[in-house]
Amino acid sequence: VRDVLEERLVKRSVPLKALTFGEVEKALGQTARQKVTLQEGIPSDKAREIVKVIKGSKLKVQASIQGEQVRVTGKSKDDLQTVMQLLKSTDLGIDMQFTNRR
């Protein structure tokens, strides 16, 4: 069943890193139950890790945690694109999406 779920989510362009699978529980009869949670936003501990990675890169950008998002500001578009590439190459175990709001 897990394979079918993952296959359908991939068809709908939902990243599989956004899923967290719980324990398999016994249910009535010979059935089983497993909870799957979908990630919304960035957890606070992962947000702090992202800010550390950005500050460790020594780029001229500022990173701030705003709720379930991390906002990165800088004067140069090239610096912001470098930060995006850095975060994509760093495996933090979560799905990240980038938006540009100028």
Side-chain angles (χ1 to χ4, degrees):
V1 175
R2 183 175 177 168
D3 293 334
V4 173
L5 175 67
E6 289 177 351
E7 188 177 306
R8 301 262 171 118
L9 289 174
V10 167
K11 285 183 182 178
R12 291 182 173 94
S13 301
V14 176
L16 297 180
K17 279 188 173 181
L19 299 177
T20 305
F21 290 93
E23 288 186 29
V24 177
E25 304 168 353
K26 288 188 177 183
L28 190 62
Q30 293 184 348
T31 59
R33 181 180 310 145
Q34 184 176 22
K35 287 191 177 185
V36 180
T37 56
L38 191 63
Q39 169 192 333
E40 285 187 55
I42 300 175
S44 61
D45 58 333
K46 293 292 183 178
R48 280 188 241 114
E49 272 186 61
I50 291 171
V51 171
K52 280 183 185 178
V53 168
I54 293 171
K55 287 188 178 186
S57 68
K58 303 291 184 189
L59 292 170
K60 293 184 179 181
V61 294
Q62 293 80 34
S64 62
I65 301 171
Q66 295 182 346
E68 294 182 343
Q69 297 178 349
V70 176
R71 171 169 254 157
V72 181
T73 56
K75 289 186 178 182
S76 171
K77 278 187 184 179
D78 294 334
D79 288 342
L80 297 175
Q81 290 175 348
T82 304
V83 169
M84 287 171 49
Q85 293 301 320
L86 174 70
L87 291 176
K88 285 180 183 177
S89 66
T90 305
D91 184 30
L92 297 171
I94 60 172
D95 176 53
M96 290 184 278
Q97 297 173 352
F98 302 95
T99 57
N100 183 10
R101 301 210 177 148
R102 282 205 167 234

